[in-house]
Every structure is written in C-alpha cells, then in structure tokens.
C-alpha cells in the first residue's frame, strides 16, 4: 500500500544525515532545478556536506539561480560515502537515469514528489499529486520544520513554483500554491531576474526550433489532437540540445480546440522522448502509462526505444483511441 511518511519523520531522517546526495531527474526543468538548488542551500547552511547533481545539461536560462556553483559534474561523483539520497521531483526510479545506481549503494532514499504516478520507491516518501510543483511541497515542509528561509532559497523555490504552475494558471494551482508563493515573497526573491532569465532569455536557435516544430505540426481528430515530431537527423541539423525543447509543447496545446498535444523528439538514434499535454478534462497519463511513462493529468511523458516512425505511429494510435473511446 502506498503511504506517505509524515513531515516529522522526513525531517528527522534529513537532519540526521551528514553527507546527503541530492539528485535531479533526467532533462531537468525549472521545478526540478529549483528543488535541488533550494535544498542544497538549506542543507549547506545547516553544516551538511551536500553533493547535488543535475542529471544532464543545466539549461542556460536557469544558471542565474543561487547555488549553481555547488553543482557537481556527474563524472566526479563516486558511489561511496553518502548516507542519504534525496530524490526530488521524480515519479519513479527510471527518472533518475544512470544516477539511480547511487540508490543501490546508499542506506536511505527520501522521495519527495508531486506526480500522481509516483511509485513510492523511497525508504521514506512524501508524494502530493495535487501540488502544482515540487517546490510547493518543499516550501510547505521547510515552513513546517521552521528551517530558516533566505532570499536565495526563495528565488529557487519561487522559480520552480512559477514554471511548473504555468505562471500560476495550470489546473493544479490552488489556494495553497498561492499561499506558499506568498510566503516566499516575504523573502524578496529577485522577480526581474527570474522574468528576464526564464521568460526573456531565448536564443535564436530555440526560436528556429520552435518554428520548425510549428511548421511540421499535424492536426488529427477534427483538430482535438495536435502533434509534431523531430527525428534525430532534424535535431542534429538544428544543433538542438535538451534545454532547447523546454516549453515547446505548450505552443501545441495552446491552439484553439486542441484537447491533446504530443511532441516527439528522437534524443539519440533509436531513443524517442515523448511529451504530452492535455486540457478540457483530458488525462494524458491514460496514454503515457501505456508506454512506461507518467506525470500529471495535464502534463506527462515517456521514453520509447525503437524505430522513430514506429514509435510515433504507436503512440498516436493510443492517443486517438483514448480521444475517440
């Protein structure tokens, strides 16, 4: 039976730790990075020797956040000496990518997440699928634990909350979301810096990629389903990297009458990342979980292996069946 540990139990485990390893998920986004950096700053202030790792490329538009100087390159981190793994914003073990190997050698894993499809893989778990972001949960926890918040931590948590809630407009945004954001505002996060870096710091390359995605977009099911795809060759020709794709699918779901949007990209030959967005009551996890993925009702994803065209066709058939079922 899936069961959350209490705030007090998780606090006790974290405070006992002296050498915590803080892990992000693959293809880290603003909420994930904000969670990792915010907790790193808090635990460092408590005198702990933290090792935070971002799993993959740190998007350039999040490099302004406090604490990035503490991030450790994956290749410099070894498997021994850690007494705690803090897994943040990960729905399952696979979201840790090859960093999941650390969990096998560490005595304690704490899993804090906000995805409905979380597998409760930790030794200690706290999952709130109704929270708009993982940083919303962490803010609530830190306040309950009476840990000293700072301007720098507030900037990390607020950035995560802002990006994962769609500027506080996605359906998961609640009165609690706004209360937690208001608590962070008491510490005066640098809103102009957040705005200019996250929303106004777009490279020409990202714009070109967006143009290609929108040009190639296809509408199905009388316009209720829209998808676009980039194979490995196209990604290579555009010199596209992981951070270039964050937020692109939002341009597909934001089309009149669209209820379900899908974006396919072949990250490497034979490996396809699939992103889903839904609205008007559509639950994208009904499709994502068929392929080993997960997420939230309105946003999810999965990764498939095999021929790119076959992956696209297989997922589209499942999405069409869901929409017309």
């Amino acid at each position: 039976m899936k069961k959350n540990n209490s705030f007090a139990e998780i606090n006790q485990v974290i405070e006992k730790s002296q050498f915590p390893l803080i892990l992000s998920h693959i293809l880290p986004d603003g909420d994930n990075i904000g969670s990792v950096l915010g907790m790193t700053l808090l635990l460092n202030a408590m005198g702990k020797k933290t090792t935070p790792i971002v799993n993959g490329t740190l998007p350039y538009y999040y490099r302004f956040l406090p604490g990035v100087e503490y991030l450790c390159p994956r290749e410099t981190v070894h498997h021994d000496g850690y007494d705690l793994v803090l897994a943040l914003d990960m729905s399952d073990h696979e979201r840790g990518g090859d960093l999941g190997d650390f969990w096998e050698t560490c005595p304690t894993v704490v899993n804090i997440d906000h995805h409905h499809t979380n597998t409760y893989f930790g030794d200690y778990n706290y999952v709130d699928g109704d929270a708009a972001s993982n940083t919303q949960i962490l803010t609530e926890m830190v306040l309950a634990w009476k840990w000293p918040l700072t301007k720098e931590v507030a900037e990390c948590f607020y950035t995560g909350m802002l990006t994962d809630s769609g500027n506080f407009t996605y359906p998961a945004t609640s009165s609690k979301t706004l209360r937690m954001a208001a608590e962070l505002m008491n510490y005066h996060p640098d809103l102009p810096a957040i705005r200019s870096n996250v929303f106004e710091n777009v490279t020409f390359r990202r714009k070109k990629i967006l143009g290609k995605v929108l040009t190639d977009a296809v509408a199905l099911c009388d316009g209720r389903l829209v998808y676009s795809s980039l194979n490995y060759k196209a990604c290579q020709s555009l010199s596209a990297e992981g951070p270039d794709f964050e937020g692109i699918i939002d341009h597909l779901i934001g089309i009149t009458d669209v209820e379900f949007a899908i974006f396919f990209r072949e990250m490497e030959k034979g490996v396809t990342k699939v992103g889903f967005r839904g609205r008007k009551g559509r639950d994208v996890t009904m499709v994502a979980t068929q392929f080993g993925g997960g997420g939230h009702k309105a946003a999810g994803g999965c990764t498939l292996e095999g021929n790119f065209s076959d992956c696209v066709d297989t997922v589209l058939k499942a999405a069409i069946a869901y929409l017309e079922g």
Side-chain angles (χ1 to χ4, degrees):
M1 180 179 178
K2 296 178 179 180
K3 182 181 178 182
N4 279 336
N5 293 95
S6 68
F7 279 13
E9 289 173 316
I10 292 175
N11 181 30
Q12 185 177 40
V13 172
I14 294 175
E15 290 202 343
K16 282 173 58 179
S17 167
Q18 290 302 312
F19 302 98
L21 181 64
I22 308 176
L23 302 183
S24 83
H25 59 59
I26 57 176
L27 303 174
D29 56 13
D31 186 34
N32 189 217
I33 293 167
S35 295
V36 169
L37 294 180
M39 289 300 287
T40 296
L41 292 170
L42 285 163
L43 295 180
N44 282 352
M46 295 166 64
K48 301 185 185 302
K49 298 186 183 300
T50 62
T51 303
I53 310 177
V54 166
N55 198 340
T57 303
L58 175 67
Y60 65 88
Y61 38 88
Y62 295 126
R63 291 175 186 165
F64 76 100
L65 286 171
V68 293
E69 66 273 17
Y70 296 116
L71 294 174
C72 300
R74 168 66 177 86
E75 60 273 14
T76 67
V77 180
H78 306 290
H79 284 260
D80 54 345
Y82 304 106
D83 55 12
L84 173 72
V85 166
L86 195 54
L88 303 174
D89 196 35
M90 295 186 206
S91 57
D92 54 45
H93 185 280
E94 287 72 24
R95 286 291 282 163
D98 67 351
L99 297 183
D101 295 344
F102 285 101
W103 305 352
E104 305 302 325
T105 58
C106 193
T108 307
V109 176
V110 173
N111 160 39
I112 302 173
D113 185 43
H114 72 123
H115 295 92
H116 283 289
T117 55
N118 192 283
T119 59
Y120 287 71
F121 56 84
D123 300 299
Y124 294 83
N125 303 279
Y126 190 86
V127 179
D128 181 0
D130 293 326
S133 68
N134 204 62
T135 42
Q136 174 185 321
I137 298 172
L138 293 176
T139 301
E140 185 180 6
M141 284 181 162
V142 168
L143 291 170
W145 296 335
K146 300 188 185 306
W147 288 7
L149 273 167
T150 64
K151 175 181 181 293
E152 291 73 24
V153 174
E155 285 178 8
C156 294
F157 284 176
Y158 191 90
T159 298
M161 208 178 294
L162 186 71
T163 54
D164 233 39
S165 68
N167 294 336
F168 303 109
T169 62
Y170 289 164
T173 302
S174 65
S175 58
K176 180 183 283 188
T177 307
L178 299 179
R179 287 198 301 273
M180 294 301 102
E183 291 286 352
L184 295 176
M185 285 297 294
N186 289 330
Y187 296 88
H188 309 291
D190 190 340
L191 299 187
I194 294 172
R195 184 195 69 248
S196 63
N197 281 279
V198 177
F199 299 112
E200 299 172 353
N201 185 19
V202 182
T203 63
F204 186 63
R205 181 177 65 193
R206 278 182 80 191
K207 289 293 189 182
K208 295 283 284 185
I209 293 167
L210 175 60
K212 171 68 172 171
V213 169
L214 294 178
T215 298
D216 293 350
V218 177
L220 302 171
C221 300
D222 298 320
R224 292 179 295 139
L225 169 63
V226 167
Y227 79 95
S228 190
S229 60
L230 286 177
N231 61 22
Y232 183 67
K233 183 178 179 180
C235 291
Q236 290 290 98
S237 68
L238 291 164
S239 300
E241 299 177 348
D244 295 323
F245 296 101
E246 186 172 346
I248 277 186
I249 195 171
D250 297 325
H251 293 271
L252 298 177
I253 195 63
I255 298 172
T256 302
D257 296 329
V258 172
E259 301 172 13
F260 205 111
I262 311 175
F263 178 51
F264 303 88
R265 68 177 177 93
E266 196 173 18
M267 298 187 296
E268 54 186 272
K269 203 64 179 174
V271 181
T272 300
K273 170 69 176 174
V274 188
F276 302 96
R277 290 292 184 275
R279 63 176 181 175
K280 299 183 180 180
R282 295 298 183 181
D283 184 353
V284 303
T285 65
M286 298 295 290
V287 177
T289 53
Q290 294 182 44
F291 303 99
H296 312 285
K297 182 176 180 179
C302 64
T303 301
L304 286 79
E305 296 185 0
N307 178 270
F308 181 65
S309 295
D310 292 342
C311 291
V312 172
D313 290 343
T314 300
V315 173
L316 284 177
K317 286 178 183 176
I320 291 169
Y322 167 66
L323 283 173
E324 296 184 342

